[in-house]
Amino acid sequence: MSDDRNELAVLYERDYARLVRFAALMVGSVGDAEEIVQDAFVAAHRSLWRIRDQDKLGAYVMRSVINGCRGLIRRKRHGSHLVISDGAAGPDQSLSSVAVRHDMVAVLAKLPQRQREVMFLRYYLDQSEERIARAMGITRGAVKTHAARAAGNLRSLLEGEK
Amino acid sequence: MNQVDGGLNAAEEQQLRAGIRREADSMQLSGDGWQRIVERTQGRKAVVRKRFLIPAAAALGVILMVVAAVTVNHRSDSGIPTAAPQQSATADYPIIWPQALVGGKTATVPATDDPAPTAKQFLDSLGVPTADLTFAVEQDSRGESRLVKVATRNGSVLGTVSLRWESGAGAWGVQAVQSPRTTVRNPEPNGAVNPPLSVAFRTDTDGTARVRLLDARSSKELTSWSEGIDPNEDWQANANFTRNADPFPGYLVLTVQDGGGQFTSVVVMPLTIGAT
C-alpha cells in the first residue's frame, strides 16, 4: 500500500462502515450507499495532496457522502427511498415506545431531506452542531432550526399514526 | 411529553438513537469496500501512466484550443461578461461598491495602480478565503478597466474580477466577477430583478452552490439560498425577498464549494433591484 493511501486506510478503518450505514439510512439501499461512500473515498484520494490533516480529510469525505446522497435522491426524484422494516404499529405510538423498534427509521424517512440529514448525523454519527453545519454547508442556526422542526414533525407523524 | 428547546428530551433522544442504531446495525455490508477503492485508485493511475500519458500530452494542446474556442462562443451566447476578449461588455456596468471595500470611497489612503488588493478585499467581503489564492492582473484597458484573474495554488481559476478606476473617488471599484466554470443564464447581467428571485445556472463541478442577493449600498444580504448540486446540469433557484418601492443597485453572488468546502467558482453580477 502506498504512503498516500495510508491516511485513507486509517480513515477507512475508522469511518467506512458507519458512513455506509448513514448513507443507507439516507438513500434506502446498502448497495447505493457503498457506491456513494466509495466515490467519496476515491475523490478524497484525488485530493490527498492538499488535504493532509486527518480531521479535514474526514470532514471532506463526510461532506462528499452527503452530496452523493443528495445527488442520488435527486436523480431518483421520488419522496422516500428507504427500504424499511414493516413492523405493525402497536397500540402505544408514543415516541419512546416506537423508538425502540426498527420502524422509527421508517418514520424518520418521512421527514424532509435536510431534517433527516440532521437527525441521522446527530443521532447516528453523533456529530456536533458545528460539524453538522460544516458537513451540510449550512449555519449552526440552520442546524438548530432543522433539528427543532424535525422533532416537531416527528411528533406530528407519530400522533398521526395513533 | 416534555420538550427541551422545542426538541427532544434526553430520554427520547436515547430512544431515538437506539432505534436508528438498531436499524443501521442490521445492515449487511459487502466487505470488499477497501478493495474496490484501491482498484479504482490504482486503475486510474495505471490507465493514466500506461495508456494516456503520451497521447494525452500530444492531444492536450488540440483539446485546449477546441475547449477555449467553444467556451468563448458559449459564454458569448450566454450574455455573461467574459474575460479579456469581451472586456468592453462590462464597461457600462455600475460599480459595485460595498462600503467596507478597501480602496473604496471611505479609504483614507490613495489607491495604488494595482487593483489586486481591491479584488482580494472584495472576495473577502463575500466570505471567500483568499489566503491561498493568487491574484494576477490580466489586462489593462485604457488605464480605466482591469481584470484580475483569481486562481488557486494549483492553477485552477476561481473567477475573474472586473474592476474600473473611478477617478472621482480615486480608487478601484468592482464591476463583476465571472467564472470559467459556472454559467448563469438568468437573470441577465445588469438586469432588473423583483421578488421572487429566480436564478438559473449550470456549473461543471459538484458540491454546494450558494446564491445570495445583496444591496450594493450597504452589502446587506436580502436573500440567500444553498443547495447541493451535480455538475453539468441546469439548476434553478428561487428565493423571496421584500420588495422595495424604489429601485436600488444590488448584486447577485453565486459561489460553488466542493465536497471539502473549497471554493471552486465565484460569480458576481450587478443588478437593479425593485425595477419594473
Side-chain angles (χ1 to χ4, degrees):
Chain A
M1 190 181 294
S2 60
D3 288 343
D4 64 348
R5 270 201 219 101
N6 285 341
E7 293 173 57
L8 215 55
V10 171
L11 190 68
Y12 178 90
E13 287 299 323
R14 194 187 72 189
D15 288 349
Y16 179 80
R18 66 195 196 111
L19 283 173
V20 169
R21 292 190 165 105
F22 164 77
L25 290 167
M26 287 302 304
V27 302
S29 156
V30 175
D32 286 341
E34 288 198 275
E35 278 198 23
I36 287 168
V37 177
Q38 286 162 16
D39 285 347
F41 272 83
V42 172
H45 180 260
R46 282 199 293 266
S47 301
L48 275 175
W49 63 273
R50 63 182 172 87
I51 312 172
R52 306 308 296 186
D53 180 77
Q54 188 71 218
D55 199 41
K56 286 183 180 171
L57 193 63
Y60 180 99
V61 170
M62 186 182 294
R63 190 157 175 155
S64 295
V65 168
I66 290 172
N67 285 334
C69 292
R70 290 174 179 175
L72 182 68
I73 290 169
R74 193 181 301 114
R75 283 192 293 279
K76 286 186 174 176
R77 293 191 191 287
H78 55 83
S80 170
H81 316 287
L82 215 52
V83 179
I84 49 178
S85 54
D86 194 23
D92 180 2
Q93 283 285 3
S94 69
L95 180 57
S96 296
S97 67
V98 176
V100 296
R101 303 147 54 109
H102 287 200
D103 55 5
M104 171 54 83
V105 175
V107 179
L108 285 166
K110 294 176 181 172
L111 297 177
Q113 186 180 330
R114 294 289 189 273
Q115 293 177 21
R116 264 191 299 143
E117 285 175 4
V118 168
M119 296 303 261
F120 288 137
L121 284 166
R122 185 169 178 172
Y123 294 112
Y124 180 62
L125 292 183
D126 292 323
Q127 297 295 299
S128 66
E129 256 173 22
E130 188 178 347
R131 281 175 172 269
I132 293 172
R134 210 183 311 151
M136 292 178 65
I138 58 178
T139 63
R140 287 180 68 175
V143 172
K144 285 181 181 172
T145 302
H146 284 310
R149 286 179 182 163
N153 286 337
L154 206 52
R155 290 172 195 284
S156 301
L157 288 167
L158 292 171
E159 290 290 325
E161 289 187 5
K162 271 186 181 176
Chain B
M1 188 179 293
N2 296 326
Q3 291 186 341
V4 179
D5 296 334
L8 307 173
N9 63 38
E12 289 171 339
E13 286 190 329
Q14 194 178 349
Q15 297 288 353
L16 178 60
R17 193 171 271 120
I20 294 172
R21 288 212 170 127
R22 186 176 297 209
E23 178 75 15
D25 290 345
S26 70
M27 296 172 182
Q28 295 296 315
L29 276 57
S30 66
D32 63 348
W34 181 245
Q35 183 60 34
R36 287 159 74 177
I37 292 166
V38 169
E39 282 170 5
R40 287 176 63 184
T41 54
Q42 275 181 338
R44 197 171 67 85
K45 282 182 179 176
V47 166
V48 170
R49 283 178 188 153
K50 293 177 184 173
R51 295 182 56 190
F52 290 125
L53 197 56
I54 295 172
L60 188 59
V62 176
I63 291 169
L64 285 176
M65 280 190 292
V66 171
V67 169
V70 169
T71 303
V72 167
N73 287 336
H74 177 66
R75 294 187 65 81
S76 166
D77 290 344
S78 71
I80 290 175
T82 58
Q86 295 197 347
Q87 193 202 1
S88 60
T90 61
D92 297 329
Y93 282 11
I95 290 179
I96 297 167
W97 220 317
Q99 289 180 347
L101 196 60
V102 167
K105 292 174 181 174
T106 56
T108 54
V109 180
T112 66
D113 285 343
D114 181 7
T118 302
K120 184 173 187 291
Q121 185 68 20
F122 184 65
L123 290 179
D124 273 334
S125 75
L126 299 179
V128 179
T130 54
D132 289 330
L133 299 178
T134 61
F135 294 79
V137 179
E138 278 249 301
Q139 184 174 321
D140 184 349
S141 171
R142 298 191 299 276
E144 294 176 346
S145 301
R146 291 193 192 176
L147 299 173
V148 175
K149 188 163 75 175
V150 184
T152 60
R153 295 288 179 200
N154 69 357
S156 173
V157 177
L158 194 68
T160 301
V161 185
S162 307
L163 303 104
R164 195 175 74 204
W165 179 259
E166 187 71 4
S167 56
W172 293 101
V174 176
Q175 292 184 292
V177 183
Q178 59 203 302
S179 168
R181 315 187 74 166
T182 299
T183 305
V184 179
R185 293 192 166 80
N186 184 66
E188 292 289 320
N190 213 16
V193 294
N194 284 293
L197 172 69
S198 178
V199 182
F201 66 96
R202 172 184 279 245
T203 189
D204 69 356
T205 54
D206 63 358
T208 302
R210 187 177 176 204
V211 176
R212 281 176 282 172
L213 186 66
L214 288 95
D215 184 334
R217 302 166 300 180
S218 61
S219 296
K220 181 186 171 192
E221 186 175 284
L222 303 172
T223 186
S224 92
W225 169 91
S226 185
E227 176 68 88
I229 55 164
D230 293 326
N232 303 316
E233 286 187 19
D234 290 317
W235 293 91
Q236 176 108 4
N238 294 301
N240 217 341
F241 60 96
T242 306
R243 178 186 286 273
N244 190 309
D246 300 317
F248 58 94
Y251 53 102
L252 181 82
V253 180
L254 170 57
T255 54
V256 181
Q257 290 172 267
D258 67 15
Q262 304 289 321
F263 283 85
T264 57
S265 176
V266 178
V267 174
V268 180
M269 68 167 65
L271 298 163
T272 301
I273 299 171
T276 52

